Amino acid sequence: QGLVYFPGIQQFESATINLAHGISPSTSTISIAPQTTPLAADGDLQLSFGSTRITFKDCKLDAGAISYDQSGAIVSLTVLDRRWRWEFGTISGTYNRRQADGLIDTGNGDAQDNTERTPQELAKLLFEAMGESGFDVKQLPNDTRPLVEWDAAVPAQELARLCDSLGCHVTIELKTSKAKIVRVGKGANIPSGPIMSDVLELNPANKPDGVTVLCNYTRFQADFELEAVGARQAAALKVVGLG
């Protein structure tokens, strides 16, 4: 039997969790029986099935609703994993600034003025600004030097932008509950075995009746060579217009 634990819940009816990649939190919907004791505002959410246990650290009780039907009352709770905290915080700094010759400004040997940072170093700065520790950035490609200019920027948004530019995204690893950057399209194969459910969706693109290309005004120039009347030297008439 699958079980779910969250601080303050006495009796649950069902639970559904939508795992999300990226900087947005995974969302859990838990249905419980009405109770008089209060629920915790935050805490660890645990799922167990036999010997398997998955823990989501520092979750937040985001919303609740109560519904009535013929069988009685049911309370529905919405719980977010710790990525709800990533919405906050700021970070400032300019890195990989180029000089007039196109080379990165390394501060002429002064480590304090050196603006060069690898993508993994930038990701570490962002994770630390997000309050994370024990994170893994090893899969982030490290051979480029992107220019970044952060001015009270939101760290999670800048991390998502950095990862997207390098073909990666952020996730929370289920086994360790650690933040991790992974490459898009890389990972374990789908496990073999019977399929519990399968959904096929078709959403073909809408085709237009035609395509119209609109251009801006084009500046053109034409030169006409004319014979001057009453003069020995030929003259040229230059016409400039828009069309």
Side-chain angles (χ1 to χ4, degrees):
Q1 180 185 4
L3 300 175
V4 60
Y5 303 91
F6 188 77
I9 292 181
Q10 295 182 343
Q11 182 179 356
F12 80 96
E13 181 187 62
S14 63
T16 302
I17 296 181
N18 295 320
L19 295 177
H21 284 182
I23 61 174
S24 298
S26 296
T27 303
S28 305
T29 303
I30 306 173
S31 297
I32 67 172
Q35 60 184 59
T36 57
T37 57
L39 298 169
D42 49 44
D44 294 349
L45 174 66
Q46 293 184 350
L47 303 178
S48 67
F49 190 86
S51 60
T52 301
R53 173 164 295 188
I54 300 175
T55 301
F56 297 87
K57 297 288 188 180
D58 300 327
C59 294
K60 174 188 177 183
L61 179 59
D62 185 60
I66 186 169
S67 59
Y68 297 89
D69 56 23
Q70 294 179 350
S71 60
I74 291 294
V75 178
S76 297
L77 306 175
T78 301
V79 178
L80 306 179
D81 74 14
R82 74 171 183 275
R83 280 174 284 185
W84 68 271
R85 299 180 184 273
W86 293 4
E87 182 181 356
F88 309 101
T90 61
I91 188 170
S92 298
T94 300
Y95 300 101
N96 297 321
R97 181 176 57 226
R98 264 61 178 183
Q99 302 178 114
D101 56 5
L103 299 178
I104 296 177
D105 184 2
T106 58
N108 294 324
D110 189 345
Q112 187 174 359
D113 295 332
N114 185 7
T115 69
E116 184 175 11
R117 298 293 187 278
T118 67
Q120 292 183 10
E121 289 174 334
L122 294 174
K124 290 178 182 179
L125 292 174
L126 293 167
F127 269 130
E128 291 170 353
M130 293 155 57
E132 291 291 325
S133 61
F135 43 80
D136 184 355
V137 300
K138 293 191 294 291
Q139 293 192 38
L140 189 66
N142 213 33
D143 53 355
T144 62
R145 298 295 183 270
L147 170 64
V148 295
E149 296 177 307
W150 300 330
D151 184 10
V154 178
Q157 294 179 2
E158 296 301 324
L159 181 61
R161 187 175 292 110
L162 176 65
C163 290
D164 289 343
S165 68
L166 297 174
C168 297
H169 58 199
V170 190
T171 188
I172 300 294
E173 194 172 36
L174 292 181
K175 292 183 179 180
T176 62
S177 192
K178 299 294 185 180
K180 184 177 183 179
I181 294 177
V182 296
R183 296 197 182 191
V184 176
K186 301 291 184 179
N189 295 327
I190 297 176
S192 59
I195 298 175
M196 179 178 294
S197 64
D198 191 7
V199 177
L200 176 63
E201 295 183 359
L202 296 177
N203 185 17
N206 298 324
K207 297 182 180 179
D209 295 332
V211 177
T212 301
V213 178
L214 299 178
C215 301
N216 203 348
Y217 288 109
T218 302
R219 184 180 181 90
F220 64 90
Q221 175 178 311
D223 294 335
F224 300 92
E225 185 173 352
L226 303 177
E227 185 72 24
V229 178
R232 297 180 179 179
Q233 188 174 6
L237 175 64
K238 182 179 293 185
V239 179
V240 178
L242 297 175

